[in-house]
Amino acid sequence: MTKTDTPSPSELKTIGFTPFIYCKNQALFHVSRGVPLADALAQASDLLHFAKKLTLDAAYAKDSDRHACAAHYLTAMSKAVIDDVAKVLDRRPVQTTKETAPSKNS
């Protein structure tokens, strides 16, 4: 029987590795570390909702540069949060020493 140290989904938190909004090829902001994934995804959903509203306004309004710019920043933040969550979910579970050692039958 194999045993892995996998936390429950409710215990998973952002790792804070994902940058967004660059200034002269240097990340100006990063996703914060330690935010529960459900909360992070809820925030990303809210950011995308507002970005969608702004793009709709931009489609119908004259002089809508400010709408497009704001939507750009909201989508950049949303993408960074989702990418950070994906990095957490893609991590491999930690294996015990017995599992990593070659078996005698191989």
Side-chain angles (χ1 to χ4, degrees), residues 71-93:
H72 166 73
Y73 285 108
L74 290 171
T75 54
M77 288 187 278
S78 305
K79 182 180 182 330
V81 170
I82 292 168
D83 288 350
D84 205 76
V85 168
K87 288 173 187 171
V88 172
L89 296 176
D90 284 345
R91 288 176 136 177
R92 303 276 183 222

Side-chain angles (χ1 to χ4, degrees), residues 1 5 16 21 25 28 42 54 67 72:
M1 177 184 240
D5 298 326
I21 310 298
N25 295 328
L28 190 56
L54 285 169
H67 293 91
H72 166 73

Side-chain angles (χ1 to χ4, degrees), residues 18-40:
T18 310
F20 62 98
I21 310 298
Y22 287 82
C23 181
K24 296 184 180 179
N25 295 328
Q26 183 176 2
L28 190 56
F29 300 105
H30 284 82
V31 173
S32 293
R33 182 185 188 113
V35 177
L37 294 192
D39 294 340

